[in-house]
Amino acid sequence: MGKKRRKSLNLSQIDRKQAAIFGIALAFVALIVLLCITIAMRSHIQNEYASARNEIGEQLYTELYMLCQTFDQVTVPGQDVENVIIPSMADYYLCAQTLNTALTGAFGANYSVLSAQHIADLDAAFDAYDTAFRAGHSTDDAQAAMQSCIDAVRELLSARYTGGNLSAA
């Protein structure tokens, strides 16, 4: 076998103008590829962001809906309002408040479902029940206050949720 001769590149034969054009074209193609990757990543992130917002919104809807449904049992004879219904409502309300705070913190005030006024009204209605239970008085006033809060929550649910997804205010 004979020796293989290695060819060497003669740099003096390369046209600098063509090399510059080729370099610029190569850099341009690299920038386009990088831009495409960035756009695809941004689109994916936005989809994940919307998906997370919708999942939290759906869970908030569920908690508020269950709050309303549980309150509807107050007028059913034989129900233990003090030990079962109001504590269950308080649990749903606490979950809804937490989710509402998370939505507001993560996605902005436009995605807050419960306003400060709604929260204050619901707190006052729960306090009215607590006061009536402790004093042994009638819960009619507390029930009326809670009914107006539940009506407001139902209006919120129908206004803010379209097609099962939370819409911005």
Side-chain angles (χ1 to χ4, degrees), residues 102-132:
L103 271 173
T104 304
F107 305 107
N110 287 342
Y111 287 98
S112 176
V113 175
L114 295 172
S115 68
Q117 185 61 49
H118 290 116
I119 292 170
D121 291 345
L122 281 162
D123 287 342
F126 278 110
D127 287 343
Y129 266 110
D130 189 46
T131 302

Side-chain angles (χ1 to χ4, degrees), residues 9-118:
L9 181 62
N10 187 358
L11 294 177
S12 63
Q13 293 177 347
I14 297 176
D15 183 18
R16 290 179 191 236
K17 195 173 194 179
Q18 286 179 341
I21 291 172
F22 180 73
I24 290 172
L26 188 61
F28 185 68
V29 169
L31 285 174
I32 289 175
V33 168
L34 186 62
L35 181 65
C36 290
I37 291 170
T38 303
I39 289 171
M41 288 174 56
R42 180 181 170 155
S43 176
H44 177 71
I45 289 170
Q46 286 176 331
N47 288 340
E48 290 294 318
Y49 184 79
S51 176
R53 184 182 62 233
N54 288 337
E55 286 181 33
I56 294 171
E58 286 174 14
Q59 188 61 41
L60 177 58
Y61 179 89
T62 300
E63 298 299 330
L64 290 174
Y65 180 80
M66 290 305 298
L67 174 75
C68 295
Q69 291 300 97
T70 304
F71 179 73
D72 291 342
Q73 296 175 14
V74 166
T75 58
V76 175
Q79 292 294 321
D80 187 357
V81 175
E82 182 177 4
N83 296 315
V84 176
I85 293 177
I86 297 301
S88 295
M89 287 177 62
D91 290 343
Y92 291 126
Y93 175 59
L94 179 62
C95 289
Q97 252 187 317
T98 303
L99 291 168
N100 190 64
T101 302
L103 271 173
T104 304
F107 305 107
N110 287 342
Y111 287 98
S112 176
V113 175
L114 295 172
S115 68
Q117 185 61 49
H118 290 116

